[in-house]
Amino acid sequence: MHITPSAFHRTPFPQEPLSTASATGTSYWQDAWRRLQNNKLAIAGLIFILLITLAAIAGPHFSGYSYADQNLPEANQPPSSMHWFGTDNLGRDLMTRVLYGARISLSIGIAASLINLTVGVLYGGIAGYAGGRIDNIMMRIVDILYGIPLLLYVILLMVVLGPGLLNIFLALGLVYWLGMARIVRGQILTIKKQEYVLAARLTGASSARILLRHLIPNSIGPILITTTLAIPEAIFTEAFLSFIGLGVSAPMASWGVLASEGVVSLRSYPFQLLYPALAISITMLSFNFLGDGLRDSLDPRMRK
Amino acid sequence: MHFLIHRLASMFLVLFVIITATFLLMHAIPGGPFTTEKNLPEAIQKNMEERYHLNDPLWKQYADYLAHVASGDLGPSFKYENRSVNDLIRESFPVSAELGVIAIFWAICLGIPAGIIAAVYHNRWPDYIAMFLTTIGISVPGFILAALLIFVFALQLGWLPAALWEGPSSTVLPALALTGLPTAFIARLTRSGMLEVLNQDYIRTVRAKGLSQYTILTRHALKNALIPVVTYLGPLIAGILTGSFVIETIFAIPGLGRHFVTSIYNRDYTVILGITIFYSALLVTLNLLVDIVYALLDPRIKLNEGKDD
């Protein structure tokens, strides 16, 4: 056998890693999604929430009635083919009002928890990241506010601001961010001390990169869970406020308003309570199932 | 002792913040408490404001109010002449307290056994039933539960009175309606606490010693499993209290909660202010008591340690 130099040829220096891993690792989110899919109740909750959101957006356009138009000759009718859910004491179609109420109640839930998300994440994030004395002072303030019965202050704020959709957003969002701030701060504090953050810092990563790449993504699980569970809480509180006369103003109606009107006419027309009550309860149930499912799948350590 | 002083100091700080915040909020309302009244003649308006010191400068009103509250006087009602907030509380709070104690009693008597059963039969049908019921308890607002109970047990079956506060039979429905949410919470807390404890080594040890299931549960597991339930007592009382606004209104019970809701409807500012401060002070004090009990029950918690999570 004779080997000539021509038998050799130059291979280019590998630009890419020699072997691209053949088995793609499952990411945190894929893993969480797989775990969530196994939780039938959480998926049922998610589907119901999507359906009710669609119905809230599209429903009022297709029902053929307006939520505000009064029709006194048709007042207090039981459910029929004309009015599937019956009519209220002013002859308004209850199904339209329940669908319209879904808009109000869901937007209250979502807007209030977004406000509480923003305030809470900023406050908790700053406290946790700054640490030391700043953290101490900021958290002392939260502790003091925690000792106050918050619902009473939502009531007071509503008395001061007056009824109205925007005021409900504000009152709920501005009062209930404490829990979120505590959770975010706790997360940031734990993650900040972990070795991989130290490693990232040693390799020269900037504070901004550490915050964006490591601290925030790793706290998103608990933040998402808290937000999901804050939505039903806000809907619940709004229903409570409506009942004591501090809800949205007529003719607008949230589920809380509809249900408290239904309670008044319980003796003569029980069906008027039935549908709003079902709507609130099933939605609350769905959010709670979804929230519990998210907790189990996003944070296996918190599993109970 | 150090802990107690520390906690008392922070309790007074909280109360001070509460009174200040409440006072400022109430004064941020556009117009005065008499603006809703039908056009009063100028002179009467003036006189009334004079009588309730509403034209004093804000800081003076605040200082006066602080001094009054400190001496236990919550001021007069604007809507009901000759009736002070103190009278109102004295008359109606005992009723609310009675209802609240009954409700807490029910919540504990129903919630803890339900949680134990669910934990013992973990992932079998008693667990599923208990968890299903507690999820419903968490998902149905109190006033809807109340309306449902009235509809079934008072209107349809006619077993129990639908309203008012006369005799033991009239306490059943309101107490049940009030207790729905806390019962569900207690059951869930007991269940998760119990599940955690039952997996621990010392339980395996007593089981190996051949103790009966009953002794294991009551003598060994329950004590540790109930610690989270004790921490929930503070929020529990707060929940019963705010729940009572709705329940007392629906069942027409002459308690403080109903007066609070009425005063909100009437925009009776001094009463709203007074009851808020009364409730806040009550809750803050009860929270302190719960903290002390908690520290006594669980020796792992050091009394003099600050709060950090």
Side-chain angles (χ1 to χ4, degrees), chain A residues 2 10 24 35 43 56 64-65 123 129 158 179 228 232 253 259 266:
Chain A
H2 188 71
R10 225 185 142 82
T24 48
R35 273 198 295 263
I43 289 296
Y65 299 96
Y123 196 96
Y129 195 70
M158 288 306 295
T228 313
L266 178 70

Side-chain angles (χ1 to χ4, degrees), chain A residues 243-267:
Chain A
F243 185 82
I244 59 175
L246 293 171
V248 293
S249 14
M252 258 205 266
S254 66
W255 285 338
V257 175
L258 293 174
S260 53
E261 283 170 0
V263 170
V264 176
S265 55
L266 178 70
R267 276 162 200 272

Side-chain angles (χ1 to χ4, degrees), chain B residues 238-308:
Chain B
I240 293 275
L241 199 143
T242 44
S244 73
F245 302 169
V246 166
I247 302 301
E248 287 178 7
T249 308
I250 289 189
F251 287 95
I253 295 168
L256 193 54
R258 193 173 65 139
H259 279 300
F260 189 56
V261 175
T262 318
S263 70
I264 291 172
Y265 273 119
N266 289 338
R267 299 290 188 271
D268 192 347
Y269 296 121
T270 38
V271 177
I272 302 181
L273 194 67
I275 297 183
T276 306
I277 288 174
F278 174 73
Y279 274 150
S280 307
L282 183 74
L283 282 178
V284 171
T285 319
L286 288 175
N287 272 337
L288 176 68
L289 288 181
V290 168
D291 273 8
I292 294 172
V293 170
Y294 184 42
L296 290 179
L297 282 184
D298 189 352
R300 283 173 300 183
I301 296 157
K302 294 253 167 56
L303 280 174
N304 51 8
E305 242 173 0
K307 266 191 184 169
D308 40 316

Side-chain angles (χ1 to χ4, degrees), chain A:
Chain A
M1 186 144 163
H2 188 71
I3 299 170
T4 59
S6 62
F8 295 92
H9 61 91
R10 225 185 142 82
T11 51
F13 186 79
Q15 294 287 320
E16 290 157 64
L18 279 176
S19 64
T20 44
S22 54
T24 48
T26 46
S27 77
Y28 172 64
W29 291 104
Q30 284 166 328
D31 209 32
W33 173 237
R34 190 183 45 75
R35 273 198 295 263
L36 188 66
Q37 276 173 319
N38 287 334
N39 188 334
K40 302 247 165 28
L41 284 176
I43 289 296
L46 182 64
I47 291 174
F48 182 80
I49 291 166
L50 292 178
L51 283 180
I52 197 93
T53 312
L54 268 181
I57 295 168
H61 296 295
F62 294 108
S63 67
Y65 299 96
S66 141
Y67 72 92
D69 286 351
Q70 304 181 5
N71 185 0
L72 288 176
E74 287 190 17
N76 292 324
Q77 284 192 355
S80 64
S81 59
M82 284 280 291
H83 302 281
W84 287 3
F85 289 2
T87 58
D88 70 359
N89 61 342
L90 296 172
R92 297 175 289 199
D93 180 55
L94 260 183
M95 189 166 88
T96 313
R97 283 180 66 74
V98 169
L99 287 175
Y100 193 82
R103 271 190 200 185
I104 310 269
S105 287
L106 288 177
S107 28
I108 287 172
I110 292 167
S113 40
L114 282 184
I115 297 180
N116 123 13
L117 174 85
T118 319
V119 180
V121 169
L122 279 180
Y123 196 96
I126 291 173
Y129 195 70
R133 180 171 289 167
I134 300 178
D135 177 41
N136 220 332
I137 294 172
M138 286 176 87
M139 282 299 129
R140 210 13 73 81
I141 295 175
V142 169
D143 282 345
I144 288 176
L145 292 177
Y146 232 86
I148 297 172
L150 293 174
L151 189 57
L152 284 174
Y153 286 84
V154 175
I155 294 175
L156 273 190
L157 265 178
M158 288 306 295
V159 171
V160 173
L161 296 171
L165 199 55
L166 201 66
N167 294 341
I168 295 182
F169 291 167
L170 276 180
L172 290 180
L174 290 181
V175 170
Y176 282 117
W177 53 272
L178 297 172
M180 179 67 90
R182 275 191 167 177
I183 285 171
V184 172
R185 178 222 174 221
Q187 280 288 314
I188 300 270
L189 272 188
T190 353
I191 299 168
K192 205 170 73 171
K193 285 182 201 139
Q194 279 176 13
E195 281 84 358
Y196 72 91
V197 176
L198 185 65
R201 194 160 299 229
L202 280 176
T203 57
S206 65
S207 283
R209 188 180 160 83
I210 290 175
L211 203 64
L212 290 177
R213 288 286 302 177
H214 300 294
L215 298 186
I216 290 179
N218 281 305
S219 334
I220 268 186
I223 293 174
L224 194 66
I225 298 162
T226 317
T227 310
T228 313
L229 291 173
I231 294 175
E233 174 101 37
I235 296 179
F236 219 96
T237 313
E238 188 278 330
F240 171 81
L241 289 176
S242 298
F243 185 82
I244 59 175
L246 293 171
V248 293
S249 14
M252 258 205 266
S254 66
W255 285 338
V257 175
L258 293 174
S260 53
E261 283 170 0
V263 170
V264 176
S265 55
L266 178 70
R267 276 162 200 272
S268 13
Y269 309 107
F271 67 89
Q272 289 178 353
L273 174 65
L274 178 67
Y275 297 103
L278 274 181
I280 297 184
S281 307
I282 298 178
T283 307
M284 300 283 303
L285 211 61
S286 303
F287 273 110
N288 281 326
F289 280 145
L290 180 63
D292 284 351
L294 280 178
R295 173 163 46 209
D296 289 348
S297 61
L298 286 177
D299 197 348
R301 282 165 306 167
M302 277 166 77
R303 180 170 241 154
K304 283 185 178 164

